[in-house]
Each structure stands twice: as structure tokens, then as C-alpha cells.
Amino acid sequence: MRSDLASCVVSVSGIRGIVGPAMNPSLMCALGAAVGRRLAKGKGVVLGRDSRDSGPLLADALASGLRGVGCEVIDLGIVPTPTVPLMVRRLRAGAGVQISASHNPEPWNALKIYTRRGRNVDGDELEQVLALMASPPADLWVGHQALGQRRDQPDAIALHCRAVLDTVDLARLHKRRLRVVVDSVNGAGAVIAPQLLEQLGCEVIPIYDRPDRPFPRDPEPTAANVTETGAMVKALGADLGFVQDPDADRLAIIDERGRYIGEEYTLVLCAAARFSAADVGPDAVAVTNLSTSRMLEDVAARHGAQVIRTRVGEAHVLDAMQASQALIGGEGNGGVVDPRVVFCRDSQAAMALVLDYCARREKPLSHLLAEIPSYAMHKEKVGLDRAAVAAAIAQVLESPLVQGAVIDVQDGLKLIWPDSWLHLRASGTEPAARIISEAPSAAAARKLAGQLRGLIKAPLLKAGHH
Ligand code: MG
């Protein structure tokens, strides 16, 4: 295998690496040719990128590879990641590619690949792309008359906004005129969020809305990274604050008191918004992974709705959403999927759901949050490889710990009690395992994780609250 590709982390959710030794123009050109040949099969390919400074160079190289095998390149420029699959569907393109390393810092970049269905590539499709790169056919590159053209598609942001606006009660939002701080961390969200929020009837206070500038901080929207934004929400008397990650698929929320509410609440609030809408019947479904907060079950139960749990990973959530015709889905990292907008995590769709809910309920966000039972989550990383995890699971199943628990073995082992749960699973990216627990108090959550760790005698690598 070529050494730059070997230095990348390669999975169906993307090909990710350090710019230079891993992500470089040569690799991008080869990937472009392979995507064009294997997935797009001569049809147009939608190309987007986030705002990081390696984006234009990598996009040019990727476009060259695509054009060299005869594919037209439909260039969106800087756009949120979900805009790419949305435009693939709209334009009936052959594939889509987004250059973004999401929440990773500037030295990183990555390529996300979408098929003509507007979905992430699956394992087979990714294998086909990589196989073609490993042994390219002699006729890979086309002659001068068959080269693909490159054209701009300037209305992608407007089309994305329109799709989001169609999901809300615009008249009510304009009447309510919520005051909103939006922090796009100088990422791709900056090209859409301020104008979208204005169209949603908000009084908008954008911060870090300069995609031509570097990220002002560690760009992952965690509590520690957004304290300044929280202080601003409070000082400016805003109704709420939104924080996007650099490719604007994930959303974190700050309440009117300036408090970062945690990314677990993003999906829960959006589900509350969706399930309580007037047009929603009692057979509604939400989909999330096994490691996401059980607040979702509480919210669903209130509306007679059902929650389906999947293995961890966006692709699993999307597959189950499709199979169950779910109204909403996502994960506890602030990624929310509203299929009415696009079949992909989209912070724009999530912002609209939260605002629509606030306007409809006519209560401050902190009051709406107080209606949701609260839990504490505890996360640990332990030193167990995949084989050791399998042995540990067999051992736990024989132990008294499982008494009275509902047992789920889709992804490692999850034990579920009426107001708490415990999940052990092998990490997908390193030879370690994760223990995640949730209970009504932090002490109870920590105790559950400790009981499991003691039982399987796993060495603790790192622990944290959530
Ligand atoms: Mg992201």
C-alpha cells in the first residue's frame, strides 16, 4: 500500500490523516480518480470542503483526479458536511466528496465519501475504491476530449436553508424573534448559520463567523472549549447559544443563563421538539446508539413514541432510521439527523428544531430542560483488547451483576435497569475498551462502572464524567 494512505485512519466514515505525510495532493488525486471511476461511473461528483487552510489545495488535487477520469466536478466551495449529500440527491450526482477533518485541529484533514444515494460509502464500496487505487487499470485516465469540467454550484447554501425552513412554523418564529448567539468556530457553519437563523426570524449575534481565519480554539464543541461563548450568551441577554463544530454537522447548545447543557441534550431536545409537533402520531420512532443517554426514552415515552438502539457509529444509526422510517435520529455527540432535511447529521436542521420548540412552548430553554429527568454519565477507557473484551463479556454474563437487567449484545454488552445502564464495548480505533454508565447520580454511575471493571479485572486507562 502507498505510504501516505497507510498513515491515514481509513473507515467508512472517512479517510483521515495529517496534512503532508498522509493527506497530500498525490493521495487526493488518486482518491479522486478511484471515486470517479468506481462510484460515480462517469456522472458528476459534488465537491465540498470545510474552512481549514489545507482545503483548497486538497480540493484542487481531488478535482483533478475526478476530471482526469472524465467526471464533471460540481464545486460547492466551503459548505457544511450535510450540504454535500443534500446536493448529491438534488442534482442526482454520481457521488459526493467532502474534505473535512470535522473537530480535529488544523494539522488534520480528511475525506468523506458519499454515494449517489447521498449516504456514506459502505464497507464494500470503500473496498472497491481502495482496490482500484492499489491496481489502477491501464485506461484509468481519459483523453483530452473526455476530460471532466469543473463548475461552481453557488445555490447550494440557499437550497440547504430552504430545506430547513420548510420544517418549522416560520410565522411563529418571526413573531417570537428569539435572540441567538451562534459560534461557528470560523468553520463551514459560518457560511450558512447566520443567514439561516435570520431567515428563521432570530435576532442573530454571530461570533467566529470568519471562514478565512484559523480556528480560534480547540474546535471540538466541549464544555471546556466554549466557556467564552457561554459568558457571551449570558452577558448579551440572549435566549440561547449555538456552537457548531468545524464542518457544522454537530451542535452544542448553551441556555439563556450561559450554561453549556452538554451534547447529550442536543438530540433529546430535538426529539422532544419533533415528537410534540402537531402532525406526529403515536407510532413515531427515534433511533440512537447504545451509548447515548436514556433521557431519549423518557422523552419518547411521554409522547408514546419508540426508541430503537443500534451499535455505535453513524452508519448503523442511519441504516436503522431508514428501516424504521424514523422521524429523528442521532448520537450523543450533538449529531442530529432530521430526514426531512437530509439523511446526515446536520446542525442546521437541529438548530431549527430547537428554535421551533422554544417558540412553540414560550418558555426559556432552562425551563424546557428542567422538564427532562436528568442523569449522570460516567465514561472510562480500560486496557482490554478485542479478544479480552469477548472473554470479559462471557464472564459478566455468568455473574450476579446481570440479575434484573435487560441484556443487549449488539455491540459488546449493555445491561439495562429501569433508571440506569452499563455498556462495555471494544474501541473501534485502538486496542482498548470503553465502559460507559448512566444513573440518576454521578456516584451511582461511577459505582456501576467500578463494579464492572472490578469484576473483569480491567486496568483503568482514563475516566471522565459527562
Ligand atoms: Mg463534524
Side-chain angles (χ1 to χ4, degrees), residues 425-456:
R425 59 181 286 270
S427 164
T429 52
E430 52 189 336
R434 294 183 201 288
I435 296 176
I436 305 166
S437 59
E438 187 176 43
S441 73
R446 199 167 49 238
K447 187 176 161 204
L448 269 179
Q451 277 179 314
L452 177 65
R453 182 160 34 84
L455 182 66
I456 61 178

Side-chain angles (χ1 to χ4, degrees), residues 319-334:
D319 286 342
M321 286 184 71
Q322 211 153 25
S324 65
Q325 304 269 303
L327 288 188
I328 193 150
E331 299 182 88
N333 58 7

Side-chain angles (χ1 to χ4, degrees), residues 190-431:
V191 306
I192 183 170
Q195 71 183 81
L196 173 67
L197 291 169
E198 215 144 277
Q199 291 170 39
L200 286 165
C202 299
E203 185 190 335
V204 192
I205 304 155
I207 59 171
Y208 300 127
D209 61 338
R210 292 286 302 268
D212 57 330
R213 297 222 175 132
F215 303 144
R217 56 167 190 265
D218 177 337
E220 179 146 41
T222 58
N225 292 338
V226 304
T227 49
E228 186 197 7
T229 312
M232 209 149 170
V233 169
K234 191 175 177 198
L236 293 168
D239 292 296
L240 72 172
F242 288 133
V243 186
Q244 300 178 291
D245 77 333
D247 67 325
D249 60 347
R250 283 166 53 188
L251 181 72
I253 302 170
I254 292 165
D255 73 11
E256 80 283 0
R257 298 177 302 182
R259 195 174 55 108
Y260 174 87
I261 67 172
E263 287 184 296
E264 290 283 343
Y265 274 99
T266 307
L267 175 60
V268 174
L269 267 178
C270 289
R274 197 68 187 94
F275 288 147
S276 61
D279 62 334
V280 171
D283 51 356
V285 171
V287 176
T288 192
N289 70 43
L290 290 167
S291 284
T292 295
S293 173
R294 60 146 297 130
M295 292 187 287
L296 191 59
E297 269 84 358
D298 293 322
V299 165
R302 215 169 272 170
H303 301 285
Q306 193 199 340
V307 178
I308 294 175
R309 295 265 174 179
T310 71
R311 295 172 60 191
V312 173
E314 191 189 11
H316 300 299
V317 171
L318 291 175
D319 286 342
M321 286 184 71
Q322 211 153 25
S324 65
Q325 304 269 303
L327 288 188
I328 193 150
E331 299 182 88
N333 58 7
V336 174
V337 183
D338 183 340
R340 296 173 298 174
V341 177
V342 59
F343 221 70
C344 177
R345 296 189 293 223
D346 183 11
S347 66
Q348 284 64 231
M351 288 191 285
L353 280 165
V354 172
L355 291 170
D356 196 47
Y357 190 50
C358 287
R360 172 152 38 96
R361 297 290 312 277
E362 295 183 334
K363 280 184 181 174
L365 183 60
S366 63
H367 292 214
L368 297 176
L369 290 167
E371 295 173 358
I372 300 167
S374 75
Y375 301 89
M377 234 188 224
H378 181 79
K379 300 187 177 186
E380 293 182 354
K381 193 155 89 174
V382 294
L384 286 184
D385 62 17
R386 202 164 277 276
V389 170
I393 289 171
Q395 196 186 344
V396 177
L397 287 172
E398 295 297 314
S399 78
L401 189 60
V402 301
Q403 276 168 20
V406 174
I407 299 168
D408 189 322
V409 290
Q410 288 185 73
D411 188 1
L413 174 68
K414 185 174 178 182
L415 303 176
I416 307 155
W417 296 275
D419 63 355
S420 57
W421 54 266
L422 182 58
H423 189 195
L424 169 69
R425 59 181 286 270
S427 164
T429 52
E430 52 189 336

